[in-house]
Amino acid sequence: MKKLFKTFEMKLVLFTFFIGSLFIYLYHIENSIKNYSLYKKGINDLKFINLYLDNFLEKQDKFVNFDEIVKNTKEFNRIINEILSSEIKTEFSHIVYIELAEAHGLFSEKLEYIERYKSLQASNLSSIYFIYDLNQYFNKSKLSNEDKVLINQTLFILMQSFININDNKKLLAKNLEAIHKLSEKNRDKRLELLYIHTKKTIEKIEKINEINKKVSELNLAKKLEKVDVFLIDSYNKKMLMQLIIASVFFLFLLFMIVVIYFEHRKTRKIKNELLGFKYAVENSDNSIILTDPDQNIIYVNENFELNSGYDKEEVLGNNPRFLSSGSTESGVYEELNKKLEKGEKWEGEFINKRKDGSIFYEKASIVPILLNNKIVNYLAIKLDITKYVKQKENLELSSIAFDNVQEGILICDGDKKIITVNSAFENITGYDKSELIGMTPTILQSGRHDKVFYSKMWSSIIDNGYWRGKIYDRRRDGEIIPIWLNITAIRDKNGKFSRFIAVHTNLKEIIETQEKADFLAYHDPLTKLPNRAKLEEDLAYSISVAKRNDLNIFVLFIDLDRFKIINDTLGHQTGDELLKVLAKRLQKVLRGTDSVSRMGGDEFIVTLDSSRTKKAAGYVCERILEIIKEPIKVKGHVLNTSASIGVSMYPDDGTDISTLIKNADTAMYHAKEKGKNNFQYYDKQLSIDVHEQLEIEQALKGVLQREELYLCYQPQYLLDTKEIVSFEALVRWEHSELGFIRPDKFITIAEDTGMIVDIGKYIFKTACKDFVEFKTLNKNLRYMAINISSVQFKDKNFVDDVLRIVKMFNLKPNEIELEVTERYMMEFTQTNMDTMNKLRELGFRFSIDDFGTGYSSMSYLTKLPIDVIKVDKAFIDGTPKDHGNVQISTAIVALAKSLGYSVIAEGIEYEEQEEYLKEIDCNMGQGYLFSKPLTFNDTKILLEKSTI
């Protein structure tokens, strides 16, 4: 009753809402009419102002109060902006808004023309007054009457053109030319001024006429008229629509009143039917739930309260799904809703949750209750089936476990006859279940166990109730397999054996897996070569044998050259295939007593037990280098690589594993320094060098914070004039303990450790800062050359960093030259090319340092954005006497010139070298002959002297 009454009240509220909406809408109509008047007045004002401005533009011969013009333009902008910022777009048509916005744009253009017009008109009026004064002067001057007539006629034609009476351009131009000649003849400055001002006035008149033409073409008046028409049309349509909507509102309200009346009668009828239904189901043994059409609970019986644990007051008004545990599949609810929406009965099961959190299962039947083909309620009758479901689940779980467990299970009765087996048992033995049922387990006996074994087994089962141990069984195909067997005996109420359960675990796969694990523990998974653990184990044994027999052992540390480039360009899969091919080649070249292991990456270690001398070990190294250099075909690519090999010998170079490997590694790095593709024997000096490198590496940490680095600058000058045009920034390091450390000692280490990125930023920033001061002393300086490491190019922030520093010191990018070595070209990739092109697009210069010392490709040389090629000092030394260097340096200069590059010769130390370089058309030089690298202060002194 209460629920029904609330429904009736809601209909009354809805009715009231529509009445209120009607009055609000009528108020909106009245407000729209009011706003229309404001919009209409505003547009009329805009049309008037526009007409006023048009009249202003047509009066070029009259002085106009510009303040009034400014006032009108501001008023136009104010009115149009107020209309555009109003609700005109929503109150009327968006077309009105768009047209008005376009009119606003046209007025902005017109305003620009007005400003130009004002300037030209003011200038013209001033010029006219000035020309008039000059004419008065000439009338009183001693000029001939013919000349005076010429001047008066010219002024008359000019005034006609100014007030748009007559535009006789030809005659005016002819007279002006005559006046110009007269001024030159008489050398009269006033005649020349008359000529100039008259000519400029004509030009301004033409510009004013052009402005008037362009203003006319804007058609702002037509656009405003169009806006006015659209506004009126939109207003009329809106008023008609508002009248129609208001009429529909009134008709709809009348309809609503009728509907509410009939709904009220139906509600009273349903109320009586529900009371009867409630009495009929009150004492049902099932849980009964009644919901409204929105599926909100309006009734539950006592049995529902007992099953769910909820009181009636707690559930009324809730959707029955509040009982959901979340375990019922979403498809169940989807099917339920589809059927109920169709007015059909639904049957199914729910997994719900009681108030105390426990889960219970219900079988439910839900039917919609229809009244006049409309759903008024839903009735749910539910039966608690929790106990049945739990029993079923336990049985299913037992069956699943039995069928899916990996161990084979065999169950026998008290007479040791097989009752059943699971699928795993069938897989292990090869027998089908049908073949085994009724048989005894003796069918599996392999013959490897005697009667004593089985006697002890059954004694344990009878005495202890179980037996476990390893046994060998025979499969159906005759294969003998190892089994771990667990047998458990089960007694009945009388103490007799009723069941025997035997669990079989197949040990074959476990044993095979263990063997594979042992192999993987000591071998590289990619190449199948022994790994470091196996190497150390074998090497330890070899050392013990060599120690007893006073023998030598050689350890070869092999590292592939340029393997990283192959990996980065062609992918890791190609690199892996290359390693597998090389592993096989290494195995073939070695004797049976020797071994090869993979340390990881592209590193291999070979131990030679059969070689007795360094010469013999060297022969093996040469063979290894030869087979590694042979081309390798991998995935359609023909790959060429080489290796660097370091050799250490037991006992001279170490008596333990770690020392031998470490010293071989040191020798390998020495081989790389020697140009790669060679082998080197270890000696103690290498360890000293490595120790020195480690000292430098440690000292590099914090070098910037300790401010130990400083820059020197070596001038680069024009060979023919000796003019300094640029400097090369060169970093220097003075350590508090190690003293002065040469760049060739620490730069490579900084690159290997990655510290070159921060050091490079410091060098770049300091060089830019100093270059700004150098330019104040010599404004002819063109650029500062700064060396850039290939490691810096790989830094993702490199481009942003150099651009930020250049902007910091207000330098132009073309005032900075980035020097890259030929080694950088050898590491050429598309990423490097993209970085260089990006920097070049920003304006930075590029030069190739140490040109001729590497193996750069001529094709890359033509593609790179280079400005300068620097000929290495090695090719300048000995010239012009050294014929070989003369040929090379001449060829480099000719090549650079043909490609459009400038050339700088490095390391000029003698005058005859300088003279020779000028003869071969080398542009610039750099070297001790002109100046050694100078500190910042010494560089400033040099620049001050050069400008004197």
Side-chain angles (χ1 to χ4, degrees):
M1 175 70 182
K2 188 175 182 181
K3 191 72 176 178
L4 292 173
F5 181 72
K6 283 184 178 180
T7 303
F8 180 70
E9 282 185 335
M10 285 302 296
K11 290 188 171 86
L12 289 177
V13 169
L14 184 63
F15 175 76
T16 305
F17 170 76
F18 277 113
I19 290 292
S21 299
L22 177 62
F23 283 107
I24 291 171
Y25 196 71
L26 290 174
Y27 172 77
H28 178 68
I29 293 173
E30 180 64 25
N31 196 49
S32 296
I33 295 172
K34 178 182 177 182
N35 290 340
Y36 168 76
S37 301
L38 294 175
Y39 300 150
K40 189 71 172 67
K41 180 180 180 303
I43 291 171
N44 287 337
D45 290 344
L46 293 177
K47 290 160 68 176
F48 175 77
I49 293 171
N50 183 57
L51 182 61
Y52 174 80
L53 295 175
D54 286 343
N55 290 334
F56 158 68
L57 292 173
E58 292 174 359
K59 297 176 181 178
Q60 62 171 308
D61 57 327
K62 295 182 180 179
F63 179 78
V64 179
N65 186 352
F66 287 162
D67 290 340
E68 188 65 26
I69 298 301
V70 172
K71 179 181 176 182
N72 277 278
T73 57
K74 287 183 178 179
E75 181 64 14
F76 189 101
N77 269 323
R78 183 192 67 78
I79 294 171
I80 199 167
N81 284 327
E82 282 184 358
I83 297 175
L84 287 172
S85 61
S86 68
E87 300 296 327
I88 190 170
K89 187 175 182 180
T90 54
E91 290 178 351
F92 292 94
S93 170
H94 69 281
I95 298 175
V96 176
Y97 179 85
I98 292 171
E99 292 291 334
L100 192 61
E102 291 178 359
H104 191 195
L106 293 175
F107 180 73
S108 297
E109 292 183 44
K110 185 170 184 175
L111 191 57
E112 291 179 8
Y113 290 132
I114 289 172
E115 291 301 319
R116 288 164 58 187
Y117 178 87
K118 285 160 59 180
S119 174
L120 291 170
Q121 189 211 33
S123 177
N124 257 3
L125 287 174
S126 176
S127 296
I128 292 295
Y129 288 136
F130 182 73
I131 292 169
Y132 178 77
D133 291 339
L134 287 174
N135 186 49
Q136 294 296 320
Y137 168 79
F138 291 132
N139 287 334
K140 297 175 182 179
S141 68
K142 296 178 181 180
L143 289 174
S144 65
N145 290 332
E146 183 182 350
D147 293 337
K148 290 179 181 180
V149 169
L150 172 66
I151 293 171
N152 285 327
Q153 185 186 38
T154 302
L155 182 59
F156 179 72
I157 296 170
L158 177 65
M159 293 306 297
Q160 283 183 324
S161 178
F162 183 65
I163 61 177
N164 290 325
I165 295 177
N166 186 17
D167 189 10
N168 195 338
K169 292 181 181 179
K170 291 184 179 180
L171 181 58
L172 189 58
K174 179 180 178 182
N175 287 357
L176 274 177
E177 184 62 28
I179 292 173
H180 183 53
K181 290 180 180 178
L182 183 64
S183 68
E184 290 179 345
K185 176 181 177 182
N186 296 340
R187 294 184 179 179
D188 189 335
K189 290 185 178 179
R190 285 187 176 84
L191 282 172
E192 184 179 354
L193 286 173
L194 175 64
Y195 167 77
I196 292 171
H197 276 271
T198 304
K199 187 174 183 180
K200 287 185 177 180
T201 300
I202 293 169
E203 291 174 355
K204 292 172 188 175
I205 291 171
E206 290 178 351
K207 289 180 181 179
I208 288 174
N209 292 335
E210 182 66 22
I211 288 173
N212 280 325
K213 181 181 178 183
K214 289 183 178 179
V215 169
S216 176
E217 290 173 353
L218 288 177
N219 288 326
L220 180 58
K222 289 184 179 180
K223 179 62 72 173
L224 290 173
E225 187 63 35
K226 192 175 181 181
V227 171
D228 196 14
V229 170
F230 277 134
L231 179 66
I232 295 170
D233 183 61
S234 178
Y235 172 75
N236 292 335
K237 290 179 180 178
K238 191 172 182 66
M239 291 301 296
L240 177 63
M241 182 58 67
Q242 288 171 344
L243 178 62
I244 293 170
I245 292 173
S247 302
V248 171
F249 257 111
F250 280 113
L251 293 174
F252 182 74
L253 287 174
L254 290 175
F255 174 76
M256 284 294 297
I257 293 171
V258 174
V259 168
I260 290 173
Y261 169 74
F262 283 104
E263 283 296 317
H264 177 62
R265 291 185 59 184
K266 288 182 180 179
T267 301
R268 291 183 62 85
K269 181 180 179 182
I270 292 171
K271 171 188 171 183
N272 295 330
E273 291 177 352
L274 286 175
L275 286 172
F277 175 78
K278 179 181 178 182
Y279 179 80
V281 301
E282 190 69 42
N283 297 313
S284 174
D285 292 334
N286 295 322
S287 295
I288 296 178
I289 303 172
L290 189 67
T291 71
D292 60 19
D294 298 324
Q295 299 184 8
N296 297 316
I297 298 173
I298 59 176
Y299 171 80
V300 294
N301 65 354
E302 291 182 5
N303 198 62
F304 173 87
E305 293 179 290
L306 292 173
N307 283 339
S308 67
Y310 287 97
D311 292 334
K312 184 182 297 185
E313 288 73 15
E314 294 178 283
V315 301
L316 293 180
N318 291 319
N319 189 294
R321 289 186 67 172
F322 83 93
L323 294 170
S324 175
S325 64
S327 300
T328 304
E329 295 181 359
S330 59
V332 172
Y333 293 107
E334 291 174 2
E335 181 190 359
L336 181 152
N337 290 328
K338 285 180 181 178
K339 284 207 169 188
L340 293 183
E341 286 172 2
K342 293 178 182 179
E344 299 176 359
K345 177 181 177 181
W346 177 86
E347 290 184 348
E349 295 181 3
F350 293 120
I351 305 174
N352 287 334
K353 185 187 292 185
R354 295 188 178 92
K355 186 178 181 180
D356 60 8
S358 61
I359 302 297
F360 69 106
Y361 295 81
E362 292 183 306
K363 185 174 181 61
S365 176
I366 303 176
V367 293
I369 300 175
L370 301 175
L371 187 64
N372 296 328
N373 294 322
K374 182 180 179 182
I375 297 174
V376 293
N377 294 102
Y378 294 102
L379 175 65
I381 302 173
K382 301 196 288 184
L383 175 66
D384 188 349
I385 57 171
T386 304
K387 290 182 179 180
Y388 167 76
V389 170
K390 291 294 183 183
Q391 290 173 355
K392 183 180 178 183
E393 284 181 352
N394 289 335
L395 290 173
E396 288 177 350
L397 286 173
S398 298
S399 177
I400 291 170
F402 183 77
D403 289 334
N404 292 281
V405 71
Q406 296 299 312
E407 285 75 15
I409 299 176
L410 176 146
I411 301 176
C412 295
D413 60 16
D415 297 327
K416 303 176 186 176
K417 298 287 183 69
I418 298 173
I419 300 173
T420 187
V421 296
N422 66 351
S423 299
F425 188 87
E426 292 179 297
N427 293 333
I428 292 171
T429 64
Y431 287 98
D432 290 334
K433 183 190 290 188
S434 59
E435 296 178 278
L436 295 171
I437 292 175
M439 304 295 291
T440 63
T442 57
I443 191 174
L444 301 174
Q445 288 183 0
S446 64
R448 290 195 179 185
H449 306 288
D450 55 19
K451 292 182 179 180
V452 175
F453 174 84
Y454 290 110
S455 176
K456 288 180 179 180
M457 181 181 73
W458 281 107
S459 295
S460 175
I461 294 171
I462 293 169
D463 294 340
N464 304 318
Y466 68 89
W467 179 88
R468 62 176 61 94
K470 185 177 179 181
I471 190 172
Y472 287 92
D473 281 348
R474 185 185 300 276
R475 283 173 46 86
R476 191 177 189 277
D477 58 9
E479 180 187 358
I480 306 298
I481 55 174
I483 297 291
W484 183 261
L485 183 60
N486 282 276
I487 302 177
T488 302
I490 299 173
R491 298 177 185 269
D492 59 16
K493 294 179 180 179
N494 300 321
K496 294 182 179 182
F497 291 113
S498 61
R499 295 285 188 274
F500 296 98
I501 301 175
V503 179
H504 295 64
T505 302
N506 190 351
L507 298 178
K508 180 181 178 182
E509 292 183 2
I510 296 174
I511 293 171
E512 290 176 350
T513 301
Q514 183 62 44
E515 290 174 351
K516 289 180 181 178
D518 291 341
F519 180 83
L520 291 175
Y522 289 98
H523 290 79
D524 171 45
L526 177 65
T527 62
K528 304 300 184 288
L529 293 177
N531 59 13
R532 188 184 186 105
K534 180 65 171 170
L535 166 69
E536 291 179 353
E537 183 179 293
D538 293 346
L539 190 54
Y541 174 75
S542 297
I543 289 173
S544 65
V545 172
K547 186 176 182 181
R548 286 197 304 270
N549 300 311
D550 194 22
L551 300 173
N552 293 330
I553 299 174
F554 291 90
V555 175
L556 280 55
F557 199 113
I558 305 170
D559 185 271
L560 301 181
D561 301 328
R562 295 169 59 83
F563 177 75
K564 185 178 184 299
I565 295 176
I566 295 174
N567 244 5
D568 292 345
T569 55
L570 300 180
H572 290 281
Q573 290 183 346
T574 302
D576 289 347
E577 291 300 319
L578 174 66
L579 291 174
K580 288 193 283 187
V581 172
L582 291 177
K584 291 178 181 179
R585 289 185 179 181
L586 288 171
Q587 287 175 310
K588 288 181 180 179
V589 82
L590 298 176
R591 297 179 182 178
T593 56
D594 302 331
S595 65
V596 57
S597 308
R598 185 185 177 204
M599 293 290 285
D602 58 347
E603 296 175 342
F604 299 88
I605 286 186
V606 171
T607 56
L608 303 179
D609 292 344
S610 60
S611 300
R612 296 291 180 257
T613 64
K614 283 189 175 182
K615 183 177 180 181
Y619 173 75
V620 176
C621 290
E622 289 174 353
R623 289 285 297 120
I624 290 173
L625 292 174
E626 287 174 6
I627 59 124
I628 288 177
K629 283 197 300 183
E630 293 176 5
I632 300 172
K633 290 185 178 180
V634 177
K635 295 186 175 180
H637 301 284
V638 177
L639 306 179
N640 292 284
T641 186
S642 59
S644 300
I645 305 176
V647 183
S648 65
M649 183 180 75
Y650 171 88
D652 295 1
D653 301 329
T655 57
D656 60 86
I657 299 168
S658 177
T659 303
L660 286 170
I661 293 176
K662 181 186 71 173
N663 290 341
D665 187 21
T666 301
M668 181 274 294
Y669 276 106
H670 183 53
K672 284 195 178 290
E673 291 173 359
K674 289 287 187 179
K676 304 177 181 178
N677 190 29
N678 70 93
F679 67 93
Q680 296 292 324
Y681 295 105
Y682 171 79
D683 61 47
K684 291 183 179 179
Q685 182 60 41
L686 292 178
S687 289
I688 295 171
D689 293 342
V690 170
H691 179 71
E692 181 184 2
Q693 290 177 1
L694 289 174
E695 280 189 329
I696 293 173
E697 182 177 336
Q698 292 300 315
L700 272 173
K701 297 176 182 177
V703 68
L704 294 176
Q705 290 76 9
R706 297 191 301 271
E707 298 182 350
E708 294 174 349
L709 296 179
Y710 63 94
L711 297 187
C712 286
Y713 300 95
Q714 188 169 32
Q716 297 174 339
Y717 64 98
L718 297 174
L719 291 175
D720 53 354
T721 64
K722 301 295 180 69
E723 178 189 359
I724 299 173
V725 295
S726 59
F727 285 94
E728 179 181 2
L730 302 168
V731 67
R732 298 290 184 262
W733 183 14
E734 187 72 37
H735 190 265
S736 57
E737 296 178 4
L738 301 178
F740 179 77
I741 303 172
R742 299 198 315 272
D744 61 344
K745 287 277 189 181
F746 70 85
I747 290 296
T748 303
I749 297 172
E751 288 179 328
D752 292 340
T753 58
M755 287 186 274
I756 192 65
V757 174
D758 291 333
I759 292 173
K761 288 180 187 176
Y762 162 79
I763 294 171
F764 195 90
K765 185 176 180 180
T766 305
C768 289
K769 177 174 70 68
D770 291 350
F771 184 60
V772 171
E773 191 159 349
F774 293 161
K775 287 207 305 177
T776 62
L777 300 174
N778 187 341
K779 298 188 182 299
N780 294 325
L781 286 178
R782 300 176 189 173
Y783 59 87
M784 173 67 76
I786 304 172
N787 290 282
I788 303 298
S789 165
S790 60
V791 177
Q792 291 176 262
F793 273 93
K794 297 174 184 177
D795 180 20
K796 63 180 180 179
N797 299 317
F798 175 67
V799 176
D800 294 335
D801 286 339
V802 298
L803 192 60
R804 175 178 53 79
I805 293 171
V806 167
K807 289 181 178 178
M808 181 190 303
F809 295 105
N810 294 320
L811 291 172
K812 298 176 182 177
N814 62 10
E815 292 180 300
I816 301 298
E817 182 175 279
L818 306 177
E819 283 198 13
V820 295
T821 63
E822 224 176 351
R823 188 178 74 167
Y824 174 74
M825 289 182 63
M826 292 168 67
E827 297 174 359
F828 181 84
T829 64
Q830 187 60 43
T831 302
N832 291 347
M833 173 66 100
D834 293 342
T835 303
M836 290 185 71
N837 283 331
K838 187 173 182 181
L839 288 165
R840 184 57 180 270
E841 288 171 3
L842 292 171
F844 289 95
R845 296 167 53 88
F846 276 97
S847 64
I848 296 181
D849 199 9
D850 302 334
F851 186 81
T853 60
Y855 304 93
S856 57
S857 168
M858 291 301 105
S859 63
Y860 286 155
L861 191 61
T862 59
K863 293 178 182 177
L864 292 172
I866 302 166
D867 297 282
V868 178
I869 286 180
K870 300 185 73 177
V871 184
D872 188 68
K873 181 181 182 297
F875 302 115
I876 305 302
D877 290 344
T879 57
K881 296 178 181 179
D882 187 327
H883 181 72
N885 277 357
V886 166
Q887 294 296 323
I888 294 173
S889 56
T890 303
I892 292 174
V893 171
L895 172 65
K897 292 289 184 179
S898 67
L899 294 174
Y901 304 147
S902 296
V903 184
I904 296 179
E906 295 183 295
I908 303 174
E909 297 180 352
Y910 304 104
E911 291 184 2
E912 53 265 31
Q913 291 176 342
E914 189 176 68
E915 291 300 320
Y916 157 71
L917 290 168
K918 286 195 286 185
E919 289 175 5
I920 64 172
D921 199 24
C922 181
N923 305 93
M924 297 168 62
Q926 177 180 347
Y928 275 46
L929 176 64
F930 188 84
S931 173
K932 66 179 182 179
L934 303 172
T935 63
F936 172 70
N937 290 328
D938 289 341
T939 303
K940 289 171 61 178
I941 293 171
L942 175 66
L943 289 173
E944 288 170 353
K945 289 180 179 180
S946 66
T947 55
I948 295 175

